Amino acid sequence: MEKELVIVLDFGGQYNQLIARRVRECNVYCEVKPYTMSLEEIKAANPKGIIFTGGPNSVYLEESPHYDKAIFELGIPILGICYGSQLMAYELGGTVATAPVSEYGQTEVTVENSNLFEGVSRTSICWMSHTDYIAALPEGFVRTGWSDVCPNAAMECAERKLYATQFHPEVMHTREGMKMLSNFVYKVCGCSGDWKMDSFVETTIAQLRERIGNGKVLCALSGGVDSSVAAVLLSKAVGKQLTCVFVDHGLLRKNEGDEVEAVFGPDGDYDLNFIRVNAQERFYKKLAGVEEPEAKRKIIGAEFIRVFEEEAKKIGAVDFLVQGTIYPDVIESGLGKSAVIKSHHNVGGLPDCVDFKAIVEPLRMLFKDEVRRAGLELGIPEYLVYRQPFPGPGLGVRIVGEITAEKVRIVQDADFIYREELAKAGVEGLSQYFAALTNMRSVGVMGDFRTYDYAVALRAVMTSDFMTAEAAEIPWAVLSKVTNRIVNEVKGVNRVLYDCTGKPPATIEFE
Ligand code: XMP
């Protein structure tokens, strides 16, 4: 049976992904599509509902994105949000103008009897962000919400299943926004909520089995959540036809290589061929004497590809190469490129170095939280499923300046202690935390002796999107304990610093 679909039609708003995630949280499958998707394509996709996103423009300008008015005649329920609400009003004969007073931030909105607001308080805090407003409603519409300065904060024509909100129900600052979106997909669109992780896992395994047949599959396994979930899905689908290559570049966290091997290796839980390549020395040799961050990243990336290529050659021609692409990558690859701050190294270069017939991307339609839920569904251990992000070049970007085996040992041991103490103290709410090794050596005293050793920097940040981040406030007692343990237990360190910098201006990683 076809699963239910809601389309988020993207008019350039910054919350397009968020809308899709919220709809999926309601157990309804949702895809983000550009506003250039044609009416014919929309009809063919047969969605249960459509959501118009916000956008930065003014609808009355010719160059702003518009959509064929015929979309309102399809009988498919539509919810317009912010710019999307103004577009609906404008196209259907209402008036949109610059508001006498712009609204930005949390605003009290009064809502009235509407399917959309069933179960929502009569006055509810909503997130506004607009300078234009709907000055006059289109014919046949009634207003269903207003604020002190926005006379038409929500409107609808229930008969035609057209709904609009000037505010953003998808952001958490709109306190009852989830209820509104859930009302839209269930009460207006009549969805039944058939998007569940257990059925995703089951159907994906069946589809993979059918697509792959007797083919040979190759997967670069990093031990991160995406490649782990992709590998397990394939292992459940085709067992030993899958070979996973795990490259230990010597820049992993303490014990990480062994942990990955314990789960996926011959004594682990899954039916697959597992190849661990211990390439530490190769990487250290290539990195010797190199200090410049981008040069280090490029060397690690290139060497990774070389090692993988050698393994792939030993395996021989494969039919399918697995990529752990997830949905945000798919959405973002459709957008313009911004300045390169760091060249991120994952498995991007692999397709060029392996002889294969097709790529399989089993997680292509999943958001990160859905990948994790699929992982749990598949029985992958929780500590792997909830692992914090770890960069492809690993500790290579957490050691400032030249990398040596000795420095790797220092940062691994310090990081291990830091993670252990944070876990013991039950510190929660951190998005990412780690120890890094600075290239600063300074004078200290231990016992009666002068020391001249390295400074370790501790970092912990809170962020929702990793594009911006705040330094976390770690309790002093915890920092103090970590510091004591590091200087006492990790040879070569006589000073521990805490990084209080946000992003921007700093980045999360040190290089
Ligand atoms: P920055 O340092 O740019 O990091 O603030 C943002 C997030 O991206 C992670 N990161 C990487 N992830 N390959 C990755 O897969 C990389 O090369 C890479 N560099 C940084 C970083 O850990 C943080 O979560």
Side-chain angles (χ1 to χ4, degrees), residues 190-473:
C191 293
S192 64
D194 62 0
W195 175 242
K196 305 244 169 72
M197 269 309 125
D198 53 348
S199 56
F200 166 82
V201 163
E202 210 175 290
T203 37
T204 305
I205 291 173
Q207 282 164 355
L208 285 169
R209 206 169 275 153
E210 184 169 348
R211 177 162 176 220
I212 289 165
N214 297 321
K216 217 153 111 179
V217 189
L218 179 61
C219 174
L221 181 68
S222 70
V225 55
D226 300 343
S227 66
S228 299
V229 173
V232 173
L233 273 171
L234 277 142
S235 135
K236 302 252 177 200
V238 297
K240 283 265 165 34
Q241 287 162 246
L242 168 70
T243 301
C244 289
V245 174
F246 168 60
V247 177
D248 185 341
H249 50 23
L251 301 165
L252 299 170
R253 284 166 290 195
K254 191 177 168 107
N255 303 333
E256 198 168 6
D258 296 341
E259 283 169 13
V260 173
E261 184 168 351
V263 175
F264 294 98
D267 301 328
D269 302 330
Y270 301 105
D271 189 26
L272 50 83
N273 298 305
F274 177 83
I275 298 174
R276 174 174 177 173
V277 192
N278 288 315
Q280 294 88 332
E281 294 311 321
R282 271 179 79 153
F283 279 83
Y284 296 160
K285 221 187 223 161
K286 287 271 174 196
L287 288 163
V290 184
E291 291 185 2
E292 208 279 316
E294 274 301 287
K296 284 161 57 180
R297 278 178 172 269
K298 296 239 157 75
I299 290 171
I300 297 167
E303 196 58 16
F304 183 89
I305 289 174
R306 220 161 288 139
V307 173
F308 193 80
E309 186 172 29
E310 286 171 19
E311 291 308 313
K313 282 211 174 102
K314 285 187 213 158
I315 296 165
V318 293
D319 300 289
F320 297 92
L321 180 69
V322 182
Q323 297 267 280
T325 321
I326 67 171
Y327 198 45
D329 307 329
V330 175
I331 302 179
E332 275 154 25
S333 62
L335 302 176
K337 282 244 177 303
S338 41
V340 173
I341 309 293
K342 298 177 182 183
S343 48
H344 277 205
H345 142 68
N346 284 326
V347 288
L350 290 184
D352 298 333
C353 79
V354 182
D355 186 15
F356 68 97
K357 292 193 194 125
I359 285 184
V360 260
E361 296 174 310
L363 311 176
R364 201 181 154 74
M365 294 327 254
L366 298 192
F367 285 109
K368 194 81 179 186
D369 53 322
E370 294 175 318
V371 174
R372 294 194 208 280
R373 284 198 345 249
L376 293 178
E377 196 65 47
L378 286 160
I380 300 177
E382 276 196 25
Y383 74 87
L384 259 181
V385 166
Y386 288 106
R387 250 176 58 147
Q388 48 171 325
F390 188 62
L395 302 179
V397 294
R398 292 181 182 172
I399 293 172
V400 178
E402 190 190 0
I403 295 168
T404 62
E406 171 68 358
K407 286 185 177 179
V408 170
R409 194 247 335 139
I410 292 178
V411 77
Q412 278 181 337
D413 288 347
D415 182 68
F416 186 81
I417 291 171
Y418 186 36
R419 285 188 287 134
E420 192 171 69
E421 290 301 327
L422 284 175
K424 265 198 225 158
V427 179
E428 285 181 351
L430 305 177
S431 310
Q432 201 170 357
Y433 48 95
F434 55 84
L437 186 60
T438 72
N439 55 353
M440 181 191 91
R441 291 172 81 194
S442 62
V443 175
V445 55
M446 268 195 193
D448 291 331
F449 294 100
R450 174 188 191 270
T451 57
Y452 186 60
D453 281 332
Y454 282 109
V456 158
L458 303 178
R459 185 126 174 87
V461 295
M462 293 183 308
T463 171
S464 54
D465 57 7
F466 295 89
M467 310 284 278
T468 60
E470 279 172 61
E473 283 185 38

Side-chain angles (χ1 to χ4, degrees), residues 148-215:
D148 277 352
V149 299
C150 183
N152 300 308
M155 65 168 193
E156 70 185 45
C157 175
E159 208 179 290
R160 295 167 72 187
K161 300 189 184 141
L162 302 178
Y163 294 77
T165 62
Q166 178 57 68
F167 54 85
H168 290 268
E170 70 277 20
V171 303
M172 282 304 176
H173 309 294
T174 297
R175 293 206 190 134
E176 295 173 278
M178 265 309 274
K179 181 85 205 139
M180 299 172 194
L181 288 173
S182 158
N183 283 342
F184 178 68
V185 295
Y186 286 105
K187 298 198 186 315
V188 178
C189 303
C191 293
S192 64
D194 62 0
W195 175 242
K196 305 244 169 72
M197 269 309 125
D198 53 348
S199 56
F200 166 82
V201 163
E202 210 175 290
T203 37
T204 305
I205 291 173
Q207 282 164 355
L208 285 169
R209 206 169 275 153
E210 184 169 348
R211 177 162 176 220
I212 289 165
N214 297 321

